[in-house]
PDB file of all heavy atoms in Angstrom:
ATOM      1  N   TYR A  51      -9.655  16.396 -14.855  1.00 96.00           N
ATOM      2  CA  TYR A  51      -9.403  16.977 -16.107  1.00 96.00           C
ATOM      3  C   TYR A  51      -9.192  18.451 -16.194  1.00 96.00           C
ATOM      4  O   TYR A  51      -8.235  18.909 -16.794  1.00 96.00           O
ATOM      5  CB  TYR A  51     -10.668  16.674 -17.006  1.00 96.00           C
ATOM      6  CG  TYR A  51     -10.524  16.902 -18.413  1.00 96.00           C
ATOM      7  CD1 TYR A  51      -9.961  16.035 -19.277  1.00 96.00           C
ATOM      8  CD2 TYR A  51     -10.993  18.153 -19.021  1.00 96.00           C
ATOM      9  CE1 TYR A  51      -9.863  16.245 -20.641  1.00 96.00           C
ATOM     10  CE2 TYR A  51     -10.916  18.394 -20.385  1.00 96.00           C
ATOM     11  CZ  TYR A  51     -10.280  17.456 -21.205  1.00 96.00           C
ATOM     12  OH  TYR A  51     -10.208  17.755 -22.437  1.00 96.00           O
ATOM     13  N   GLN A  97     -18.363  13.099 -14.762  1.00 90.00           N
ATOM     14  CA  GLN A  97     -17.191  13.792 -14.204  1.00 90.00           C
ATOM     15  C   GLN A  97     -17.317  13.846 -12.674  1.00 90.00           C
ATOM     16  O   GLN A  97     -18.280  13.728 -12.123  1.00 90.00           O
ATOM     17  CB  GLN A  97     -17.019  15.187 -14.749  1.00 90.00           C
ATOM     18  CG  GLN A  97     -18.004  16.128 -14.401  1.00 90.00           C
ATOM     19  CD  GLN A  97     -17.872  17.488 -14.977  1.00 90.00           C
ATOM     20  OE1 GLN A  97     -17.174  17.622 -15.871  1.00 90.00           O
ATOM     21  NE2 GLN A  97     -18.618  18.477 -14.411  1.00 90.00           N
ATOM     22  N   ILE A  98     -16.068  13.856 -12.018  1.00 94.00           N
ATOM     23  CA  ILE A  98     -15.979  13.990 -10.545  1.00 94.00           C
ATOM     24  C   ILE A  98     -15.328  15.175 -10.181  1.00 94.00           C
ATOM     25  O   ILE A  98     -14.236  15.531 -10.482  1.00 94.00           O
ATOM     26  CB  ILE A  98     -15.095  12.792 -10.138  1.00 94.00           C
ATOM     27  CG1 ILE A  98     -15.627  11.470 -10.628  1.00 94.00           C
ATOM     28  CG2 ILE A  98     -15.087  12.771  -8.601  1.00 94.00           C
ATOM     29  CD1 ILE A  98     -14.705  10.164 -10.432  1.00 94.00           C
ATOM     30  N   ARG A 124      17.765  20.000 -15.566  1.00 95.00           N
ATOM     31  CA  ARG A 124      18.433  19.275 -16.549  1.00 95.00           C
ATOM     32  C   ARG A 124      18.233  19.941 -17.848  1.00 95.00           C
ATOM     33  O   ARG A 124      17.294  19.834 -18.537  1.00 95.00           O
ATOM     34  CB  ARG A 124      17.816  17.784 -16.644  1.00 95.00           C
ATOM     35  CG  ARG A 124      18.199  16.972 -15.438  1.00 95.00           C
ATOM     36  CD  ARG A 124      17.818  15.584 -15.654  1.00 95.00           C
ATOM     37  NE  ARG A 124      18.705  14.700 -14.835  1.00 95.00           N
ATOM     38  CZ  ARG A 124      19.161  13.524 -15.418  1.00 95.00           C
ATOM     39  NH1 ARG A 124      18.843  13.127 -16.594  1.00 95.00           N
ATOM     40  NH2 ARG A 124      19.937  12.852 -14.639  1.00 95.00           N
TER      41      ARG A 124
ATOM     42  P    DC C  15     -12.526  20.159 -24.345  1.00 86.74           P
ATOM     43  OP1  DC C  15     -12.691  21.526 -23.873  1.00 86.74           O
ATOM     44  OP2  DC C  15     -11.005  19.568 -24.443  1.00 86.74           O
ATOM     45  O5'  DC C  15     -13.294  19.181 -23.476  1.00 86.74           O
ATOM     46  C5'  DC C  15     -14.797  19.385 -23.399  1.00 86.74           C
ATOM     47  C4'  DC C  15     -15.269  18.397 -22.494  1.00 86.74           C
ATOM     48  O4'  DC C  15     -15.187  17.089 -23.170  1.00 86.74           O
ATOM     49  C3'  DC C  15     -14.623  18.208 -21.087  1.00 86.74           C
ATOM     50  O3'  DC C  15     -15.665  18.202 -20.138  1.00 86.74           O
ATOM     51  C2'  DC C  15     -13.769  16.841 -21.270  1.00 86.74           C
ATOM     52  C1'  DC C  15     -14.679  16.114 -22.279  1.00 86.74           C
ATOM     53  N1   DC C  15     -13.892  15.057 -23.031  1.00 86.74           N
ATOM     54  C2   DC C  15     -14.372  13.751 -23.080  1.00 86.74           C
ATOM     55  O2   DC C  15     -15.429  13.454 -22.441  1.00 86.74           O
ATOM     56  N3   DC C  15     -13.774  12.885 -23.772  1.00 86.74           N
ATOM     57  C4   DC C  15     -12.700  13.277 -24.525  1.00 86.74           C
ATOM     58  N4   DC C  15     -12.062  12.341 -25.273  1.00 86.74           N
ATOM     59  C5   DC C  15     -12.210  14.569 -24.524  1.00 86.74           C
ATOM     60  C6   DC C  15     -12.840  15.440 -23.765  1.00 86.74           C
ATOM     61  P    DA C  16     -15.476  18.267 -18.684  1.00 86.74           P
ATOM     62  OP1  DA C  16     -16.720  18.567 -17.896  1.00 86.74           O
ATOM     63  OP2  DA C  16     -14.305  19.253 -18.491  1.00 86.74           O
ATOM     64  O5'  DA C  16     -14.776  16.792 -18.291  1.00 86.74           O
ATOM     65  C5'  DA C  16     -15.650  15.715 -18.095  1.00 86.74           C
ATOM     66  C4'  DA C  16     -14.928  14.438 -17.959  1.00 86.74           C
ATOM     67  O4'  DA C  16     -14.449  13.898 -19.230  1.00 86.74           O
ATOM     68  C3'  DA C  16     -13.614  14.429 -17.056  1.00 86.74           C
ATOM     69  O3'  DA C  16     -14.050  14.217 -15.736  1.00 86.74           O
ATOM     70  C2'  DA C  16     -12.819  13.286 -17.699  1.00 86.74           C
ATOM     71  C1'  DA C  16     -13.650  12.866 -18.921  1.00 86.74           C
ATOM     72  N9   DA C  16     -12.868  12.471 -20.060  1.00 86.74           N
ATOM     73  C8   DA C  16     -11.985  13.260 -20.815  1.00 86.74           C
ATOM     74  N7   DA C  16     -11.346  12.546 -21.686  1.00 86.74           N
ATOM     75  C5   DA C  16     -11.777  11.311 -21.599  1.00 86.74           C
ATOM     76  C6   DA C  16     -11.478  10.116 -22.244  1.00 86.74           C
ATOM     77  N6   DA C  16     -10.668  10.040 -23.215  1.00 86.74           N
ATOM     78  N1   DA C  16     -12.073   8.952 -21.839  1.00 86.74           N
ATOM     79  C2   DA C  16     -12.943   9.020 -20.884  1.00 86.74           C
ATOM     80  N3   DA C  16     -13.341  10.134 -20.085  1.00 86.74           N
ATOM     81  C4   DA C  16     -12.695  11.172 -20.494  1.00 86.74           C
ATOM     82  P    DT C  17     -12.931  13.963 -14.616  1.00 86.74           P
ATOM     83  OP1  DT C  17     -13.620  14.036 -13.307  1.00 86.74           O
ATOM     84  OP2  DT C  17     -11.669  14.637 -15.013  1.00 86.74           O
ATOM     85  O5'  DT C  17     -12.714  12.321 -14.820  1.00 86.74           O
ATOM     86  C5'  DT C  17     -13.777  11.525 -14.633  1.00 86.74           C
ATOM     87  C4'  DT C  17     -13.287  10.049 -14.830  1.00 86.74           C
ATOM     88  O4'  DT C  17     -12.780   9.922 -16.173  1.00 86.74           O
ATOM     89  C3'  DT C  17     -12.119   9.713 -13.916  1.00 86.74           C
ATOM     90  O3'  DT C  17     -12.639   8.647 -12.978  1.00 86.74           O
ATOM     91  C2'  DT C  17     -11.011   9.290 -14.840  1.00 86.74           C
ATOM     92  C1'  DT C  17     -11.736   8.928 -16.160  1.00 86.74           C
ATOM     93  N1   DT C  17     -10.889   9.077 -17.331  1.00 86.74           N
ATOM     94  C2   DT C  17     -10.637   7.984 -18.192  1.00 86.74           C
ATOM     95  O2   DT C  17     -11.064   6.936 -17.896  1.00 86.74           O
ATOM     96  N3   DT C  17      -9.847   8.267 -19.309  1.00 86.74           N
ATOM     97  C4   DT C  17      -9.291   9.498 -19.598  1.00 86.74           C
ATOM     98  O4   DT C  17      -8.668   9.604 -20.558  1.00 86.74           O
ATOM     99  C5   DT C  17      -9.533  10.503 -18.666  1.00 86.74           C
ATOM    100  C7   DT C  17      -8.988  11.919 -19.060  1.00 86.74           C
ATOM    101  C6   DT C  17     -10.341  10.319 -17.578  1.00 86.74           C
ATOM    102  P    DG C  25      17.137  10.105 -16.627  1.00 86.74           P
ATOM    103  OP1  DG C  25      16.968  11.483 -17.058  1.00 86.74           O
ATOM    104  OP2  DG C  25      18.101   9.160 -17.262  1.00 86.74           O
ATOM    105  O5'  DG C  25      17.250   9.865 -15.116  1.00 86.74           O
ATOM    106  C5'  DG C  25      16.204  10.538 -14.183  1.00 86.74           C
ATOM    107  C4'  DG C  25      16.443   9.903 -12.784  1.00 86.74           C
ATOM    108  O4'  DG C  25      15.869   8.604 -12.722  1.00 86.74           O
ATOM    109  C3'  DG C  25      17.853   9.869 -12.331  1.00 86.74           C
ATOM    110  O3'  DG C  25      18.091  10.946 -11.498  1.00 86.74           O
ATOM    111  C2'  DG C  25      17.860   8.491 -11.600  1.00 86.74           C
ATOM    112  C1'  DG C  25      16.465   8.068 -11.618  1.00 86.74           C
ATOM    113  N9   DG C  25      16.359   6.480 -11.833  1.00 86.74           N
ATOM    114  C8   DG C  25      16.806   5.781 -12.960  1.00 86.74           C
ATOM    115  N7   DG C  25      16.517   4.538 -12.742  1.00 86.74           N
ATOM    116  C5   DG C  25      15.945   4.516 -11.493  1.00 86.74           C
ATOM    117  C6   DG C  25      15.365   3.253 -10.884  1.00 86.74           C
ATOM    118  O6   DG C  25      15.423   2.164 -11.221  1.00 86.74           O
ATOM    119  N1   DG C  25      14.876   3.650  -9.629  1.00 86.74           N
ATOM    120  C2   DG C  25      14.787   4.985  -9.172  1.00 86.74           C
ATOM    121  N2   DG C  25      14.263   5.117  -7.864  1.00 86.74           N
ATOM    122  N3   DG C  25      15.300   5.993  -9.820  1.00 86.74           N
ATOM    123  C4   DG C  25      15.738   5.616 -10.950  1.00 86.74           C
TER     124       DG C  25
END
Side-chain angles (χ1 to χ4, degrees):
Chain A
Y51 187 83
Q97 67 181 16
I98 306 168
R124 292 190 148 221

